[in-house]
């Protein structure tokens, strides 16, 4: 009988095949979900009938369009399901495995059809025979059904036809993981096989929603007409009324349009039961997955982006999280582990939690691992909280698995999950209780195209900063600027809640001249931002307001600029650039490397801001020898020209904030001299201002070298009065000054009226 | 019979230039621009073209000329595979028909930046019209931004 393929050629057929593939895909998803329901409730006739219908319609369409292999395979599947339906055969685990195998074969043939237009050259006769055998009895127990790899794994390694779709067709959607090489791969990989490009390019929209959108567009047209008339007759009241209407319609249209892009989480979670089932069998565990809030909706592109991370987390939960049934029973838990996936809306974000009731993660174990790898020093490890330690699992190259299993622990780990989630503006967090289980909590924004942003100005231009990265706004005024900001050779830091916060000047990053540099009296605006673990302050000229903005991508040629994420059009029609907070944070590292500053703390995670109580400022004395002062002794750092120094009664002084500030050249004082430095007008000095009981003293140095942490292994005895101890800092023997002692001695000498110490 | 080609002509620093009309999407008067300071030096900024964000390339900078005195450059919006891109020029003139037979490759003594973007020349009413190769201009901004 001539089939359609011979009767029709070209476009008509192409359209038919396209529809056919989309239908198959949808059918398969249903098939898979129903099948797992069947495994739980093997007697349900309803579920069997539903599966039967799916397979039947695939078979019918395959015959119609002339795909004989598909028709043959589905025919046997249908026969088997028929037996189940009329009750002449029972649903055993072997039957379920056989049917799962059927799904894999159908999917493979579909991919082949989509890629090449043919069904591929693979021989399915063995599998067909297996399905036939299943219609009468379970296979011999010598091959336990659960361990039988589904026949999608062909025994012959040389395949003439690659199963993965050809790159030309899926080019716009490169698979996140390399397309699974089918021969040695476990069957658990099959659900993550590259999704069909065809089914991803279409979307089903509720007709009622579409009607509503059409109505809104109608209203929009009417409003436009009204406004056009307004501009002719110049009727102010009418103009206002129609503006308001326009505002309303736009908002509704925006919401409605968003809804068409929304998909329930179910679309991605429906594949998880299969993943859990296959994986549990493979690891010799028992596991089930419970899902809550599957109807929670998420933007298409986002749900695509979190598909792999979620599958990865679920795989991890089964592989690392859950214990073996024996261990579980020994601990008084039911043998079957439970993975729970919970999705819900909260505060304009979608939260997705994946939790297991397994082992939990032991922070002590993480600590050991981190120490082994040299990521932490003993001291740091001791001060870290369990929560901070748990965060270690997101570090690249971290794996707690004792042995690498086939499924996880292959190097790509939670760090990839984290960066994927963060790349879409989300966050991921872990919490765990030993013996009770682990929970991964993801926060995903509803959409990427419209975001809340803070608008700031720098150099007369406006910039948008995504709200998700925003921590706090700080405004320093007058004296507080000096107290709050310390400038270290172009690397500014600020005191922020007892810690030092690295500062980035937006003007400098973007190479723009400031509107007017803040002077002492002006305020400094700092936007505290969080990128990854790094918290930093962005100095901007002005903070404007918060707004909802529409994100537009930048031209391809501008994408290499790491500190820009996109652009948006503001209310006045002008364009504002959107800052990429992660890119700015990178710039922070760059600054450090370039100036060689702050390198002393490279041995610890960049996320750790300097603990002020341990920080030291490294200075060069007027005799060029290095000194260090604990930062807590430093109230201000100032730079002064030698010409501003005055001499009264043989003592150097300078005018400072309406007072006279006594100066002390430390290097000179230590060697019983008055002054070592050059007093020519062109020389500049760095003055460390120390304040005690309302009295200030200015310690004079040549320049500031660096800021370092007081984790000094080599300590020597104090060499002379005024020195706490000597230490090797950045490879040089450095005297750490005892400022209170210097101050006291200096005051004593004042009273004694002499220069002597 | 001589074949005719339509060229959209414009002026930069007194010189007469043109681009094939089929590459031109539209022409606009001076538009307010948002600068992108870290971008390549030829990229002057972004303009809002009816809600679409379009990159503007300053042909004066491409030709290594000083900025114009009045700074009211006009936009010649060019079609590209990646969407429209605007060329900033001093003044946009008429669309004219040029006689293909008067086409000449760039004169050998034409050096410097002009050579990079000019495909050839036509003689129009005793004036020399330099035909700008839009793709050559776009190729100039393909190099990553110099930091």
């Amino acid at each position: 009988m001539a089939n359609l393929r011979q009767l029709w050629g070209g476009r008509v057929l192409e359209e038919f095949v396209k529809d056919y593939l989309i239908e198959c895909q949808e059918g398969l998803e249903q098939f898979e979900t129903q099948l797992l329901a069947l495994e739980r409730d093997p007697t349900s006739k309803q579920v069997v009938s539903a599966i039967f219908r799916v397979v039947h319609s695939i078979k019918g369409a395959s015959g119609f369009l002339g795909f004989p292999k598909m028709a043959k395979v589905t025919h046997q599947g249908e026969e088997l399901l028929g037996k189940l339906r009329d009750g002449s055969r029972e649903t055993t685990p072997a039957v379920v495995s056989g049917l799962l195998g059927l799904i894999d074969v159908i999917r493979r043939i579909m991919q082949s059809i989509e890629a090449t237009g043919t069904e591929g050259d693979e021989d399915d006769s063995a599998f067909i025979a297996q399905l036939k055998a299943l219609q009468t009895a379970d296979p011999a127990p010598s091959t336990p059904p659960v361990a039988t790899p589904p026949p999608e794994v062909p025994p012959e390694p040389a395949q003439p036809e690659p199963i993965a779709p050809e790159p030309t067709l899926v080019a716009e959607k490169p698979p996140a993981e390399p397309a699974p090489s089918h021969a040695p791969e476990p069957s658990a990989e099959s659900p993550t096989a590259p999704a069909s490009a065809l089914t991803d390019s279409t979307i089903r929209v509720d007709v009622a929603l579409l009607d509503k959108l059409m109505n809104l567009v109608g209203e929009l047209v009417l409003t436009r007409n009204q406004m056009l008339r307004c501009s002719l007759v110049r009727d102010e009241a009418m103009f206002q009324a129609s503006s308001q209407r326009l505002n309303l319609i736009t908002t509704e249209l925006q919401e409605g349009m968003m809804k068409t892009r929304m998909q329930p989480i179910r679309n991605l979670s429906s594949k998880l039961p299969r993943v859990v089932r296959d994986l549990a069998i493979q690891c010799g565990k028992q596991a089930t997955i419970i899902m809550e809030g599957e109807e929670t909706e998420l933007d298409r592109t986002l749900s695509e982006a979190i598909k792999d991370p979620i599958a990865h987390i679920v795989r991890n939960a089964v592989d690392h999280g859950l214990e073996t049934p024996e261990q579980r029973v020994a601990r008084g838990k039911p043998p079957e582990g439970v993975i729970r996936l919970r999705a819900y809306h909260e505060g304009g974000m979608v939260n997705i939690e994946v939790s297991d009731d397994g082992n939990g993660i032991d922070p002590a174990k993480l600590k050991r691992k981190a120490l082994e790898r040299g990521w932490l020093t003993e001291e740091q490890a001791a001060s870290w909280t369990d929560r901070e330690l748990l965060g270690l699992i997101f570090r690249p190259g971290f794996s707690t698995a004792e042995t690498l299993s086939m499924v996880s622990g292959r190097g790509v780990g939670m760090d990839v999950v984290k960066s994927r989630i963060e790349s879409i503006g989300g966050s991921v967090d872990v919490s765990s209780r030993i013996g009770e289980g682990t929970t991964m909590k993801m926060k995903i924004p509803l959409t990427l195209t419209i975001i809340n942003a803070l608008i700031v100005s720098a150099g007369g231009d406006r910039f948008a900063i995504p709200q998700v990265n925003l921590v706090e706004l700080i405004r320093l005024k007058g004296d507080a600027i000096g107290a709050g900001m310390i400038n270290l050779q172009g690397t500014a830091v600020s005191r922020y809640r007892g810690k030092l916060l690295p500062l980035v000047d937006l003007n400098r990053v973007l190479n723009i001249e400031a509107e007017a540099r803040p002077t002492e009296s002006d305020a400094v605006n700092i936007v505290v931002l969080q990128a990854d673990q790094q918290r930093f302050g962005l100095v901007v000229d002005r903070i404007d307001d918060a707004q909802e903005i529409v994100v537009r991508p930048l031209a391809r040629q501008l994408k290499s600029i790491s500190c820009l994420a996109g652009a948006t059009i503001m209310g006045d029609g002008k364009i504002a650039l959107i800052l990429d907070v992660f890119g700015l944070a990178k710039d922070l590292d760059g600054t450090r490397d370039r100036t060689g500053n702050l390198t002393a703390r490279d041995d610890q995670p960049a996320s750790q801001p300097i603990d002020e109580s341990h920080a030291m400022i490294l200075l060069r004395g007027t005799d060029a020898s290095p000194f260090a002062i604990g930062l807590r002794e430093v109230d201000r750092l100032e730079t002064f020209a030698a010409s501003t120094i005055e001499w009264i009664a043989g003592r150097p002084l300078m005018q400072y904030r309406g007072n006279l500030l006594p100066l002390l050249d430390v290097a000179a004082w230590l060697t019983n001299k008055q002054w070592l430095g050059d007093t020519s007008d062109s020389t500049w000095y760095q003055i460390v201002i120390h304040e005690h009981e309302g009295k200030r003293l200015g310690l004079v140095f040549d320049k500031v070298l660096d800021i370092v942490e007081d984790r000094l292994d080599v300590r020597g005895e104090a060499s002379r009065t005024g020195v706490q101890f000597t230490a090797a800092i950045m490879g040089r023997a450095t005297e750490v000054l005892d400022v209170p002692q210097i101050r006291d001695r200096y005051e004593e000498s004042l009273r004694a009226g002499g220069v002597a110490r | 019979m001589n074949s005719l080609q339509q060229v959209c002509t414009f002026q930069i620093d007194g010189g007469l230039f043109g681009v094939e009309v089929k590459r031109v999407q539209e022409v606009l008067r001076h538009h307010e621009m948002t600068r992108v300071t870290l971008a390549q030096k030829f990229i002057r900024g972004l303009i809002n073209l009816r809600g679409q964000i379009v990159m503007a390339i300053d042909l004066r900078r491409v030709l290594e000329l000083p900025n114009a005195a009045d700074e009211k450059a006009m936009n010649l919006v060019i079609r590209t595979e990646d969407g429209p891109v605007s060329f900033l020029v001093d003044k946009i003139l008429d669309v004219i028909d040029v006689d293909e037979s008067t086409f000449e490759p760039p004169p050998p003594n034409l050096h410097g930046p002009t050579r990079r973007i000019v495909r050839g020349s036509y003689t129009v009413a005793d004036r020399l019209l330099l035909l700008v190769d839009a793709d050559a201009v776009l190729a100039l901004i393909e190099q990553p931004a110099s930091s």
Side-chain angles (χ1 to χ4, degrees):
Chain A
M1 188 187 87
N3 61 33
L4 275 177
R5 288 172 75 71
Q6 284 139 3
L7 288 176
W8 280 328
R11 299 210 69 86
V12 183
L13 181 69
E14 246 170 62
E15 283 300 311
F16 269 122
V17 172
K18 229 187 220 172
D19 286 346
Y20 161 75
L21 287 174
I22 291 170
E23 253 168 58
C24 283
Q25 180 71 31
E26 282 170 1
L28 277 189
E29 274 161 30
Q30 214 189 331
F31 187 174
E32 208 157 12
T33 338
Q34 297 280 7
L35 194 53
L36 290 155
L38 183 68
E39 200 178 22
R40 238 168 278 140
D41 180 11
T43 53
S44 169
K45 287 278 172 296
Q46 218 180 337
V47 174
V48 173
S49 303
I51 300 175
F52 184 88
R53 279 196 297 277
V54 169
V55 177
H56 179 78
S57 62
I58 294 180
K59 179 187 131 182
S62 304
F64 180 65
L65 288 170
F67 294 119
K69 276 182 146 183
M70 187 77 113
K72 232 189 248 163
V73 171
T74 44
H75 174 71
Q76 288 306 327
E78 194 186 358
E79 290 283 300
L80 176 57
L81 284 159
K83 293 255 164 63
L84 295 179
R85 191 169 59 167
D86 61 30
S88 63
R89 182 83 174 82
E90 254 174 62
T91 311
T92 61
V95 169
V96 175
S97 284
L99 289 173
L100 281 173
L102 177 64
I103 294 179
D104 293 332
V105 172
I106 294 177
R107 186 170 284 138
R108 192 202 66 219
I109 298 179
M110 270 170 58
Q111 279 169 357
S112 171
I113 292 173
E114 190 179 339
T116 63
T118 67
E119 292 178 288
D121 304 334
E122 272 173 65
D123 183 14
D124 294 314
S125 51
F127 178 64
I128 290 172
Q130 193 192 341
L131 277 183
K132 222 174 210 158
L134 275 172
Q135 287 163 27
T136 49
D138 274 11
S142 60
T143 51
V146 283
T148 311
E152 63 160 333
V153 185
E156 60 276 83
Q159 294 173 32
E161 197 80 34
I163 289 170
E166 279 185 358
T168 46
L169 262 173
V170 287
E172 76 268 10
K173 211 174 268 293
E177 297 163 294
S181 56
H182 272 242
E185 208 67 16
S187 61
E189 283 292 337
S190 59
T192 57
S196 159
L198 196 63
T199 45
D200 281 351
S201 61
T202 59
I203 183 169
R204 288 193 175 217
V205 181
D206 187 7
V207 175
L209 179 61
L210 211 52
D211 285 346
K212 191 185 155 206
L213 283 176
M214 199 57 224
N215 280 340
L216 283 170
V217 171
E219 269 186 69
L220 189 66
V221 171
L222 290 179
T223 313
R224 178 201 60 191
N225 294 349
Q226 209 172 17
M227 289 196 107
L228 285 176
R229 235 172 67 86
C230 280
S231 65
L232 288 178
V233 299
R234 295 179 190 277
D235 181 340
E236 190 64 29
M238 190 164 130
F239 177 72
Q240 274 191 4
S242 34
S243 301
Q244 262 170 25
R245 243 181 94 191
L246 184 64
N247 184 17
L248 215 72
I249 294 168
T250 314
T251 312
E252 275 187 52
L253 204 54
Q254 182 186 333
E255 280 167 9
M257 208 58 223
M258 284 254 298
K259 271 192 198 141
T260 63
R261 296 183 54 87
M262 293 297 215
Q263 281 187 335
I265 302 270
R266 183 179 301 110
N267 286 14
L268 70 138
S269 63
S270 61
K271 298 193 177 68
L272 293 175
R274 171 86 190 270
V275 175
V276 170
R277 176 191 182 275
D278 288 354
L279 191 53
I281 290 171
Q282 225 180 329
C283 313
K285 293 178 182 175
Q286 290 180 22
T288 173
I289 184 163
I290 297 176
M291 295 193 263
E292 280 172 49
E294 278 184 284
E295 66 289 339
T296 312
E297 291 189 320
L298 193 62
D299 190 281
R300 270 175 65 74
T301 44
L302 289 174
S303 95
E304 196 56 45
I306 62 169
K307 203 166 79 186
D308 289 342
I310 287 191
H312 190 90
I313 290 175
V314 169
R315 280 204 295 268
N316 262 347
V318 177
D319 193 26
H320 301 315
L322 295 182
E323 312 93 326
T324 58
E326 300 80 48
Q327 282 170 334
R328 290 182 64 88
V329 171
R331 285 180 189 173
K333 295 181 186 177
E336 191 180 53
V338 176
I339 313 278
R340 198 175 290 271
L341 187 134
R342 205 161 88 87
Y344 55 97
H345 285 284
E346 189 186 75
M349 305 275 268
V350 173
N351 289 9
I352 301 176
E353 289 174 14
V354 178
S355 50
D356 63 64
D357 63 348
N359 250 330
I361 304 172
D362 185 358
K365 212 159 139 190
L366 293 175
K367 193 191 286 183
R368 266 206 311 282
K369 204 107 184 173
L371 287 172
E372 257 169 47
R373 307 253 162 117
W375 288 341
L376 285 178
T377 63
E378 291 281 352
E379 264 175 85
Q380 285 170 327
S383 67
W384 276 34
T385 61
D386 285 357
R387 213 183 130 75
E388 281 172 312
L389 287 168
L390 278 180
L392 283 170
I393 63 164
F394 296 113
R395 271 190 81 130
F398 200 93
S399 173
T400 50
E402 243 96 90
T403 52
L404 296 186
S405 71
M406 295 242 285
V407 192
S408 29
R410 278 182 292 195
V412 286
M414 293 305 297
D415 58 314
V416 178
V417 168
K418 189 176 165 72
S419 62
R420 286 284 280 285
I421 301 278
E422 280 174 352
S423 69
I424 54 166
S427 65
V428 56
D429 204 13
V430 58
S431 61
S432 177
R433 290 173 80 97
I434 303 172
E436 288 178 31
T438 307
T439 300
M440 291 279 172
K441 185 169 178 179
M442 282 164 280
K443 279 178 181 283
I444 316 288
L446 281 178
T447 177
L448 280 183
T449 49
I450 299 172
I451 60 167
N452 282 314
L454 179 78
I455 312 296
V456 299
S457 296
D461 291 345
R462 279 174 300 179
F463 296 91
I465 302 173
Q467 288 269 15
V468 277
N469 303 111
L470 191 65
V471 180
E472 188 171 359
L473 302 176
I474 304 178
R475 188 174 164 87
L476 295 177
K477 252 181 153 174
D479 271 8
I481 299 177
M485 285 172 78
I486 304 163
N487 205 312
L488 297 168
Q489 303 208 298
T491 304
V493 291
S494 169
R495 289 171 199 211
Y496 168 72
R497 299 189 186 283
K499 305 229 168 178
L500 282 185
L501 181 75
L503 293 181
V504 180
D505 189 334
L506 188 55
N507 289 315
R508 194 190 53 73
V509 173
L510 298 173
N511 262 333
I512 48 185
E513 54 302 339
E515 269 173 335
R517 271 292 66 194
T519 58
E520 291 280 313
S521 57
D522 279 332
V524 175
N525 291 306
I526 301 173
V527 182
V528 183
L529 298 168
Q530 180 92 33
D532 239 331
Q533 300 286 307
Q534 174 88 51
R535 189 169 280 199
F536 65 98
L538 185 70
V539 181
V540 300
D541 288 352
R542 205 174 65 230
I543 292 169
D544 295 340
D545 58 348
Q547 260 182 38
E548 209 175 43
I549 59 166
V550 179
V551 180
R552 292 284 162 80
L554 286 173
R556 189 168 43 80
Q557 293 89 346
L558 297 175
K559 288 217 168 116
S560 59
I561 306 174
S562 67
C563 59
L564 299 181
T568 188
I569 297 174
M570 306 292 292
D572 58 5
K574 288 187 199 158
I575 295 169
L577 296 168
I578 302 169
L579 296 176
D580 185 323
V581 174
F582 293 89
L584 288 171
K586 265 188 222 128
D587 191 85
L588 201 67
D589 296 336
T591 317
R592 242 186 245 153
D593 295 343
R594 254 202 314 284
T595 59
N597 269 345
L598 307 181
T599 39
R601 57 186 174 107
D602 278 358
D603 58 328
Q604 48 164 331
S607 58
Q608 281 282 296
I610 298 179
D611 180 354
E612 201 176 344
S613 59
H614 289 296
M616 292 204 161
I617 182 159
L618 202 58
L619 300 135
R620 195 167 82 183
T622 47
D623 62 348
S625 56
F627 294 103
I629 296 179
L631 208 59
R632 58 189 174 274
E633 317 282 3
V634 180
D635 289 287
R636 279 183 67 86
L637 285 169
E638 297 283 0
T639 314
F640 281 107
S643 59
T644 57
I645 297 170
E646 296 168 49
W647 292 79
I648 292 174
R651 288 177 183 278
L653 294 166
M654 62 176 288
Q655 291 184 28
Y656 178 70
R657 298 194 174 195
N659 275 317
L660 283 176
L661 176 73
L663 298 176
L664 181 73
D665 180 341
V666 175
W669 185 81
L670 287 170
T671 49
N672 261 330
K673 295 197 180 80
Q674 180 65 270
W675 193 264
L676 280 175
D678 190 353
T679 43
S680 66
D681 287 2
S682 57
T683 314
W684 288 78
Y685 288 109
Q686 187 70 52
I687 299 183
V688 173
I689 297 174
H690 171 75
E691 207 173 316
H692 180 68
E693 293 173 352
K695 278 190 218 159
R696 289 189 185 128
L697 176 65
L699 303 173
V700 180
F701 295 91
D702 182 31
K703 63 193 272 196
V704 172
L705 296 173
D706 207 341
I707 233 182
V708 293
E709 276 245 39
D710 178 19
R711 299 207 190 281
L712 312 167
D713 347 305
V714 192
R715 288 186 184 218
E717 300 256 317
S719 46
R720 42 189 170 173
T721 317
V723 176
Q724 255 182 306
F725 56 87
T726 50
I729 300 175
M730 294 176 77
R732 283 198 68 179
T734 305
E735 288 180 306
V736 179
L737 298 176
D738 186 344
V739 178
Q741 196 184 20
I742 295 176
R743 180 193 67 219
D744 293 347
R745 291 295 171 95
Y746 176 78
E747 282 173 5
E748 269 170 40
S749 75
L750 274 185
R751 282 193 290 276
V755 178
R757 293 149 65 187
Chain B
M1 218 183 99
N2 292 329
S3 63
L4 292 175
Q5 193 187 357
Q6 285 202 309
V7 172
C8 176
T9 60
F10 54 91
Q11 191 176 306
I12 300 173
D13 200 33
L16 182 65
F17 294 86
V19 235
E20 291 166 77
V21 98
K22 61 182 183 207
R23 290 301 301 269
V24 180
Q25 176 181 314
E26 60 188 296
V27 295
L28 300 165
R29 253 197 288 263
H30 179 69
H31 242 67
E32 196 145 5
M33 233 176 316
T34 299
R35 59 186 169 163
V36 184
T37 45
L38 297 181
Q40 242 241 6
K41 62 176 191 241
F42 301 139
I43 298 171
R44 192 65 188 278
L46 301 171
I47 59 168
N48 173 7
L49 182 68
R50 295 182 302 275
Q52 197 173 6
I53 292 173
V54 170
M55 186 167 63
I57 301 171
D58 190 343
L59 288 196
R60 269 187 173 261
R61 289 195 187 170
V62 171
L63 298 175
E64 293 174 14
L65 295 166
N67 286 348
D70 64 345
E71 281 286 309
K72 288 276 180 221
M74 291 168 89
N75 289 281
L76 187 67
V77 182
I78 301 288
R79 285 193 192 94
T80 81
E81 277 174 20
D82 302 319
V85 170
S86 171
F87 287 178
L88 296 177
V89 301
D90 288 359
K91 198 174 172 194
I92 293 167
L93 307 167
D94 295 331
V95 173
I96 57 169
D97 294 328
V98 290
D99 188 341
E100 278 293 346
S101 66
T102 67
F103 180 80
E104 280 178 68
N109 60 347
L110 182 67
H111 292 296
T114 316
R115 181 67 186 257
R116 286 196 297 224
I117 60 161
V118 167
R119 198 195 293 160
S121 64
Y122 295 98
T123 310
V124 179
D126 293 337
R127 279 193 76 186
L128 198 65
L129 168 73
L130 294 175
L131 186 72
V132 170
D133 181 350
D135 292 319
V137 176
L138 294 169
L140 288 178
I141 58 163
E142 281 302 324
Q143 299 127 26
S146 52
S147 53

